[in-house]
Amino acid sequence: MCGIVGYIGKKNTKQILLDGLKELEYRGYDSAGIAVLEDGEFSNFKAVGKLVNLEEKTKDFKTKSFAIGIGHTRWATHGKPTEINAHPHLGESSYVVHNGIIENYATLKKELQTSGVTFLSQTDTEVIVHQFEKNQKNAKNSFEAFAKTVSQLHGAYAILLITKTEPETIFFAKHGSPMLVGINGENEKYFASSDTPLIGHCQSVNYFEDGDYGYVTPKEIAIFDKNGVKKEAKFSPLSQNKLLAQKDGFRFFMEKEIYEQSVVMSDTMMGRLGESEILFDELDKNLFDGINEIKLCACGTSYHSAMSASYLLERYSKIRTSLEIASEFRYREPIMSKDTLFVVISQSGETADTLETLKMAKTAGLKTLVICNVDNSSMVRLADATILTRAGIEKGVASTKAFATQVTVFWMLSLFIAKLKNSLSADEIASHISLLRELPSHVKVTDDMHERIKRLSKRYLHGHGFFFIGRDIFYPLALEGALKLKEISYLHAEGYPAGEMKHGPIALADPELFTIALLPKHLHYEKSKSNVEELSARDSTICAISQIEFDKADDFIEISECRHYMLEFFEMMVVLQLLSLEISVRLGNDVDMPRNLAKSVTVE
Ligand code: M6R
């Protein structure tokens, strides 16, 4: 889950690489580095920590004319985040950057060490450059050596390599980690592991497919598939909408993204709401033929939206729905039957565990659907069908608008299937659609609400832990609230089904235990209320979120009047997001780049 960039051309190579890395910093920020080859000489810079450190180190460096360069921002997998472990990694006369994991690196490293190679870093990546240079000794040319190297690697990778023997060439390989090349008609070539660094530089891009490798020069893009057969690049236009990727005056991307939810949820629904039916033109109606079960599979926040979906799909579509955590599913030899629609949910479309389960489902012959935010991502390219969530670029590591749009899509999907299966009447679907139309106004952040949460947050900075509790679909929302809080505040938080507290966790109740209670008026209110009363009786400190005033709570956050529990769901979602944000801000944390995390987890 690192970020990679590359450039061939006459412009300011250093700046292009650094600007590209800036766009990718959310993918990894333990350390960063660049290597530039100009006039047969390498310049290489690395720095630990955020990109500003690398900018500082390179401030006096500038290319004069034509150069090639590669850059990398790292999220450590093998080896600590030190300067030595930062990419690019050097051999005798070549540099490499890599995203992913080389699974057989230990074997390769041992063989290389036996033949006298000295390793400097603890990374798996360094074997690539040494293996390449070993192969160069017996190869006709550098490309042959590179192709042989790629064939010797097992695992997931996106690789860029430059070498002194080919001063105008960047070698690339892609297998399981994203990589693309962009062009602009100016004899320049740009590489990146996602398209944002290329916006503003390139008009069209080619997304490499798994197994692709080859080389790029100012004049040529040579791509070979996994069987070594040469293929044509497939260029598609690159969207130029970069405005969405800027902070717009907010303190953090996360904050901006919370405020954006109203707009992006409208986008999610745009053109998809009929009078009494949901219109997913992108779905072939036959997708659901012969389907008796839906299996939802995802990680993290996307898993929480999948769990929310399981309530909606069973309740409204009357279809059996099961849930899987991707990292568990892929190793537990699951039974997959062909009457199951396998649905993966992913903001990025690149999460390694989820992607792997999609591959498993395809291999087992299941129909597959991906709910995703990134068009052209690996999952979108692989699945039989796609529903895009249209949340726009999400930069905050803590997912907010991606979750909101995923659940919106699932609400619509449950109605779409309900129509196919006749499990809801046209009137019932129409009344859901009118609720959906109200949604954007319910997720608008008001100044009053934000101010209240800001003030309240100062009371929730300590204590020995948080329980977020809710029932039914408010249970996954509670899980999501707890995940949001823990990932950016570093406070311990758990989500729990409200009715389960008495089966053990209530033993923890005391004034230093904070309970965030979700009390929707329109779904099991009395039941949830009595669970909260049990905690209140044991002196837990309670913050209740509801549209009904609750006098047993220490703090109360009132949401606006809602006529349906799903509207309450989304109102409470915003409250939970803001609460996590404000607690974390008070604790002085970098909300957008929480420690130990990265935006897109492309390693298992
Ligand atoms: O891109 P994905 O939706 O597949 O990512 C899955 C998780 O890594 C992600 O949802 C993670 O849990 C969030 N960043 C948490 O806010």
Side-chain angles (χ1 to χ4, degrees):
M1 77 191 80
C2 311
I4 291 183
V5 291
Y7 174 69
I8 300 176
K10 289 187 179 161
K11 292 198 182 131
N12 184 344
T13 305
K14 174 196 84 175
Q15 207 49 52
I16 287 170
L17 295 176
L18 290 180
D19 290 349
L21 291 178
K22 190 95 211 138
E23 294 293 339
L24 296 174
E25 207 178 6
Y26 67 97
R27 291 178 63 87
Y29 38 83
D30 291 336
S31 53
I34 58 169
V36 174
L37 180 56
E38 182 182 31
D39 291 334
E41 287 308 317
F42 271 121
S43 306
N44 170 230
F45 305 89
K46 297 181 185 194
V48 173
K50 292 194 181 163
L51 210 57
V52 283
N53 301 339
L54 184 63
E55 283 168 345
E56 179 58 29
K57 278 201 166 176
T58 54
K59 68 176 189 299
D60 298 321
F61 169 68
K62 199 168 187 300
T63 45
K64 291 177 284 304
S65 178
F66 177 85
I68 63 175
I70 54 179
H72 188 271
T73 171
R74 178 168 187 254
W75 185 85
T77 52
H78 289 77
K80 293 205 174 314
T82 60
E83 205 166 299
I84 283 189
N85 286 336
H87 302 213
H89 288 286
L90 173 68
E92 296 274 321
S93 56
S94 319
Y95 274 101
V96 71
V97 292
H98 158 232
N99 180 13
I101 291 179
I102 305 301
E103 284 172 1
N104 59 333
Y105 88 100
T107 317
L108 294 173
K109 186 169 178 174
K110 212 162 159 199
E111 286 167 11
L112 288 160
Q113 281 171 326
T114 311
S115 63
V117 175
T118 307
F119 278 76
L120 296 176
S121 76
Q122 302 159 303
T123 65
D124 52 340
T125 303
E126 200 183 338
V127 298
I128 303 170
V129 69
H130 294 308
Q131 191 66 39
F132 166 75
E133 291 188 343
K134 180 177 170 190
N135 293 338
Q136 259 184 328
K137 290 182 185 135
N138 300 314
K140 282 202 304 283
N141 54 41
S142 296
F143 176 60
E144 192 184 87
F146 183 74
K148 181 166 182 198
T149 308
V150 172
S151 73
Q152 292 167 311
L153 303 176
H154 302 163
Y157 48 79
I159 296 168
L160 295 182
L161 183 144
I162 54 180
T163 183
K164 273 192 176 176
T165 52
E166 298 286 344
E168 298 200 346
T169 304
I170 295 184
F171 296 94
F172 67 87
K174 184 247 189 264
H175 185 70
S177 291
M179 172 69 76
L180 57 143
V181 63
I183 52 171
N184 59 8
E186 283 186 55
N187 261 352
E188 294 176 283
K189 303 287 181 301
Y190 290 75
F191 287 89
S193 51
S194 101
D195 43 23
T196 37
L198 273 49
I199 296 175
H201 294 292
C202 302
Q203 283 84 47
S204 44
V205 290
N206 170 78
Y207 296 90
F208 294 117
E209 290 173 3
D210 278 350
D212 284 358
Y213 66 96
Y215 59 88
V216 173
T217 68
K219 297 208 175 86
E220 192 186 1
I221 297 179
I223 310 175
F224 298 81
D225 71 15
K226 59 176 184 295
N227 301 314
V229 177
K230 198 162 185 188
K231 61 192 244 190
E232 287 298 310
K234 277 192 235 149
F235 281 98
S236 50
L238 176 67
S239 151
Q240 298 297 313
N241 191 347
K242 211 164 178 177
L243 270 184
L244 283 177
Q246 287 159 4
K247 269 193 216 162
D248 281 353
F250 288 98
R251 295 168 295 171
F252 299 98
F253 280 112
M254 181 189 179
E255 185 178 34
K256 171 179 168 275
E257 286 158 5
I258 293 171
Y259 274 74
E260 259 172 19
Q261 290 179 122
S262 173
V263 172
V264 296
M265 284 163 81
S266 302
D267 291 345
T268 306
M269 292 184 279
M270 197 189 300
R272 288 168 168 169
L273 303 183
E275 282 303 305
S276 58
E277 63 177 333
I278 297 292
L279 311 163
F280 277 129
D281 294 342
E282 57 273 71
L283 295 188
D284 185 337
K285 295 261 171 4
N286 300 334
L287 185 66
F288 296 92
D289 286 356
I291 294 298
N292 293 314
E293 179 180 342
I294 292 182
K295 197 177 266 306
L296 303 164
C297 189
C299 302
T301 289
S302 294
Y303 176 77
H304 297 152
S305 75
M307 190 187 280
S308 309
S310 69
Y311 290 88
L312 297 170
L313 290 166
E314 293 212 329
R315 183 162 287 147
Y316 299 134
S317 324
K318 299 290 175 224
I319 186 156
R320 192 166 61 238
T321 306
S322 56
L323 261 182
E324 305 283 351
I325 289 183
S327 55
E328 283 297 308
F329 185 74
R330 61 185 288 192
Y331 293 113
R332 71 169 173 75
E333 300 181 26
I335 295 168
M336 293 199 252
S337 75
K338 292 205 173 128
D339 64 349
T340 300
L341 175 68
F342 194 82
V343 182
V344 287
I345 305 94
S346 175
Q347 187 283 129
S348 60
E350 303 295 349
T351 302
D353 285 322
T354 312
L355 181 59
E356 193 52 38
T357 66
L358 178 59
K359 289 179 186 163
M360 285 164 68
K362 297 254 338 170
T363 307
L366 269 60
K367 289 187 188 173
T368 57
L369 167 67
V370 58
I371 313 292
C372 191
N373 191 33
V374 181
D375 198 4
N376 274 317
S377 59
S378 302
M379 285 182 220
V380 168
R381 293 202 298 275
L382 194 63
D384 299 322
T386 299
I387 303 178
L388 290 175
T389 50
R390 305 177 181 165
I393 296 167
E394 189 182 61
K395 286 215 165 189
V397 166
S399 195
T400 52
K401 60 178 182 166
F403 175 77
T405 52
Q406 285 168 346
V407 181
T408 307
V409 162
F410 275 122
W411 189 0
M412 291 192 285
L413 185 64
S414 70
L415 306 175
F416 181 86
I417 302 172
K419 168 132 200 276
L420 292 178
K421 291 177 57 92
N422 261 326
S423 53
L424 289 181
S425 68
D427 282 353
E428 285 169 317
I429 295 176
S431 94
H432 275 277
I433 289 173
S434 88
L435 291 167
L436 280 162
R437 291 188 196 283
E438 275 180 42
L439 253 188
S441 66
H442 284 277
V443 293
K444 267 201 179 118
V445 181
T446 62
D447 287 350
D448 282 356
M449 171 67 83
H450 200 159
E451 266 316 304
R452 165 131 185 85
I453 292 172
K454 237 181 222 169
R455 267 203 322 279
L456 263 184
S457 62
K458 65 172 173 287
R459 299 171 57 158
Y460 292 90
L461 307 178
H462 306 292
H464 60 69
F466 285 75
F467 271 105
F468 287 68
I469 61 168
R471 277 177 175 259
D472 203 285
I473 195 170
F474 291 82
Y475 164 47
L477 183 60
L479 288 172
E480 176 57 11
L483 178 65
K484 282 294 82 77
L485 184 68
K486 76 182 107 180
E487 67 180 327
I488 58 174
S489 72
Y490 320 139
L491 295 170
H492 180 237
E494 279 189 68
Y496 240 86
E500 267 293 295
M501 291 300 286
K502 57 186 170 296
H503 296 290
I506 203 166
L508 293 170
D510 69 17
E512 295 301 301
L513 178 82
F514 299 139
T515 300
I516 311 294
L518 306 180
L519 291 172
K521 175 179 173 186
H522 297 294
L523 199 67
H524 315 312
Y525 179 76
E526 290 303 328
K527 299 262 174 238
S528 308
K529 192 174 135 213
S530 54
N531 297 140
V532 182
E533 280 164 356
E534 288 155 13
L535 279 151
S536 167
R538 274 120 191 130
D539 227 8
S540 167
T541 299
I542 290 165
C543 176
I545 308 173
S546 182
Q547 56 176 317
I548 304 177
E549 179 104 38
F550 182 62
D551 58 9
K552 301 258 174 5
D554 300 86
D555 287 314
F556 177 63
I557 301 177
E558 187 178 11
I559 57 167
S560 60
E561 210 177 308
C562 301
R563 62 188 181 96
H564 190 271
Y565 73 87
M566 282 308 288
L567 301 180
E568 294 181 289
F569 177 97
F570 284 102
E571 288 240 359
M572 291 186 194
M573 172 198 78
V574 175
V575 170
L576 295 178
Q577 294 166 342
L578 289 171
L579 190 62
S580 300
L581 174 85
E582 292 306 335
I583 290 174
S584 312
V585 171
R586 278 189 190 274
L587 291 170
N589 298 342
D590 183 341
V591 170
D592 284 333
M593 293 189 186
R595 70 185 186 202
N596 306 339
L597 296 177
K599 183 65 187 161
S600 181
V601 188
T602 51
V603 294
E604 69 169 304

